[in-house]
Amino acid sequence: MIGWLVAVVLAVLVVYAGLPFVWTRGLGRSCIRRTPKPGCVALTFDDGPHPVYTPRLLNALREAGARATFFVIAEHALRHPEIVERMLAEGHEVQVHGYRHWFVPLLPPGLTARQCVGARDILAQRFGIDPRVYRPTWGACNLATLVMLRRSRMSMLLWSVMVGDWRRTPPEELARRILAKLDARSVIVLHDSDESPGAERGAPESVIAAIPAVVEEVRRRGYTFVLASECE
């Protein structure tokens, strides 16, 4: 009897959590991982806003003349609304990363809803925006996520360039990794916080320092920066 129950639980977990991960991350279905046309590059940042790193990152983007998309944690956004307002005022886009930095595949449907649709509604009400793009924390979702996004007419944007920037890395090496993977339809994911599980303290320092070189090379190749909403 116990063995049968274990088998049922495992089967449910596979269908609810495992298959959606393979469907999206493995097969690239029900999500977007590339920009829609050649010559367009999306520069995106996850996990913020952070009171120390994000303002400095915004300074670097302003000096480089580049627009980016910030996939924010709603709880952090409510804690630092002035940073989100600055993002919007300077032409960047704010989209949904979650209510908290939870591991989505193991969340029940109610918390899954809070993580995607609920976080969207919080951001919409507080900042007067209409977020339509969701990137799940760790890029991992469950079956409830796929159903809720479809019903809410939201898109899931993942990435094509990830370089482990949550670890402390010299800026020159970080830029080299990004540019080695860069192509004409890249979606770059970086992080502007070191408070999420697994992040090393101070890692965003290198992200900030690498921005000028990355932006310069993107432009040298003749590419244009686009926002997440332009990838739908």
Side-chain angles (χ1 to χ4, degrees):
M1 181 68 174
I2 294 177
W4 181 82
L5 287 174
V6 170
V8 169
V9 170
L10 289 176
V12 169
L13 283 175
V14 167
V15 172
Y16 184 74
L19 291 181
F21 182 85
V22 173
W23 181 252
T24 54
R25 288 284 295 273
L27 301 177
R29 307 297 297 271
S30 301
C31 66
I32 304 165
R33 296 193 293 191
R34 312 275 286 168
T35 61
K37 60 183 181 179
C40 295
V41 170
L43 181 59
T44 70
F45 298 92
D46 288 2
D47 295 359
H50 187 280
V52 174
Y53 301 118
T54 308
R56 292 172 52 207
L57 174 59
L58 288 169
N59 291 344
L61 291 169
R62 182 177 59 196
E63 291 169 10
R67 294 192 305 163
T69 299
F70 288 85
F71 285 89
V72 303
I73 298 295
E75 191 173 59
H76 297 172
L78 293 177
R79 194 177 299 140
H80 306 290
E82 72 286 352
I83 301 178
V84 177
E85 289 164 358
R86 179 182 169 187
M87 292 173 184
L88 297 169
E90 295 186 1
H92 304 293
E93 189 168 76
V94 174
Q95 298 289 356
V96 184
H97 197 36
Y99 179 73
R100 290 180 178 167
H101 209 289
W102 287 323
F103 185 62
V104 177
L106 300 183
L107 294 181
L111 287 179
T112 299
R114 189 179 191 188
Q115 188 74 347
C116 55
V117 180
R120 178 203 63 182
D121 293 344
I122 288 170
L123 294 172
Q125 181 177 6
R126 176 59 182 83
F127 299 103
I129 57 178
D130 181 25
R132 301 193 312 272
V133 186
Y134 174 58
R135 174 179 289 154
T137 44
W138 287 293
C141 69
N142 56 30
L143 185 60
T145 304
L146 299 179
V147 172
M148 291 171 188
L149 293 182
R150 185 176 181 85
R151 288 178 177 174
S152 303
R153 297 183 179 179
M154 294 180 70
S155 301
M156 183 190 301
L157 180 68
L158 296 181
W159 56 80
S160 63
V161 177
M162 175 183 275
V163 294
D165 66 296
W166 54 88
R167 301 185 188 94
R168 292 181 63 91
T169 307
E172 299 80 7
E173 172 62 15
L174 193 62
R176 186 197 66 77
R177 292 179 189 176
I178 295 168
L179 298 174
K181 294 185 176 183
L182 182 71
D183 64 28
R185 294 180 57 206
S186 290
V187 176
I188 304 168
V189 58
L190 297 167
H191 299 78
D192 60 325
S193 174
D194 60 0
E195 295 181 347
S196 302
E200 294 184 0
R201 294 300 179 192
E205 295 282 357
S206 294
V207 173
I208 296 166
I211 289 299
V214 171
V215 171
E216 181 180 2
E217 180 62 16
V218 167
R219 293 212 171 103
R220 191 193 69 80
R221 297 187 191 185
Y223 303 156
T224 301
F225 287 105
V226 297
L227 302 175
S229 60
E230 298 174 88
C231 298
E232 291 185 281

